[in-house]
Amino acid sequence: MSKPNVSIIITTYNRRVALAELLAALVEQTYQEFEVIIINDAGTKINDVAALYPELDTTIIDLLENRYHVYARNRGIAKANGDLIMLMDDDDLPLPTHLETMIKHMGDADLVYSDVEIVNYQETREKRIPIDHHIFAYHFDVEAMRKFSTYVPSGSLYHKSIHKEIGLFDESVRNYWDWDFFLRVAEKYRIKRVPIASVLYEFSESGNNQSKKLDNMRYYLDRLSAKHQLGNLPTKNFYLLLEEPDVKKREAPSDRIWDGVTMPVSRLGL
């Protein structure tokens, strides 16, 4: 029986250092039956970065204008050849056994996702240095997910055929496309949380993570809420939301496999 083929969809915009580390992390994966599709959202050219990793089967889609990450992901999905899709943000990193672990859990699920280590980095011209990190691990609870999303799309793996049933990612809820996708999948398919923190999720003080831009989020949160009848949802700071009693009681144990120091060795600058 042949191994399932995976399409890894990466959206990027002017994060050459992080992207180089992500590609290095993909080279280190213990499971290698995948293609890489990078959608460059009208940012600085990244062909030279991808060329540093010739062992990867990489396709680059250069968008002529910045259309934001949801549109870019949809372009990647349309190009994907794999039966399975793995989503990755350009500044997040899968640990070496991540993809192999996710595939093992696909037997009784249609979408699987892992826990993550939220990492604060200091970035130099050639690499990122971890400053601190903490676990992000919460019990899988569909009803609770209607109040606060604990689904991190980076590293999640699912059947591409899901899109034939529910459609592509919804650009109209831009900041909450992942929450919307999770809720739509949960209505028709089996979702499984894998209790292992095998993805490093960037949330640095100096970074430009979308979920830190509260002033842009109210409009899209209201659209998400109306679409799924979620009621009045808060746009509090991410870390403040994690301290809410209803969220705290959802905290779950997780297998933490990262040493807090080791990073994939980027070839940028070599």
Side-chain angles (χ1 to χ4, degrees), residues 93-106:
L93 299 170
L95 296 176
T97 58
H98 174 76
L99 182 52
E100 180 182 3
T101 301
M102 294 298 103
I103 285 175
K104 288 178 180 177
H105 286 273
M106 282 296 294

Side-chain angles (χ1 to χ4, degrees), residues 122-170:
Q122 177 185 353
E123 183 172 320
T124 71
R125 293 182 62 181
E126 297 176 354
K127 64 180 181 179
R128 292 178 296 171
I129 303 168
I131 298 173
D132 54 62
H133 65 102
H134 64 274
I135 191 72
F136 186 88
Y138 296 85
H139 291 289
F140 172 65
D141 183 332
V142 174
E143 188 58 33
M145 282 287 293
R146 293 177 59 82
K147 299 177 182 178
F148 177 73
S149 175
T150 53
Y151 165 60
V152 176
S154 276
S156 63
L157 186 73
Y158 63 91
H159 293 289
K160 182 185 176 184
S161 58
I162 283 176
H163 289 294
K164 293 181 180 179
E165 175 77 15
I166 69 171
L168 294 173
F169 303 124
D170 188 349

Side-chain angles (χ1 to χ4, degrees), residues 164-180:
K164 293 181 180 179
E165 175 77 15
I166 69 171
L168 294 173
F169 303 124
D170 188 349
E171 296 177 52
S172 74
V173 291
R174 189 171 79 196
N175 289 78
Y176 299 95
W177 69 274
D178 49 345
W179 194 351
D180 170 70

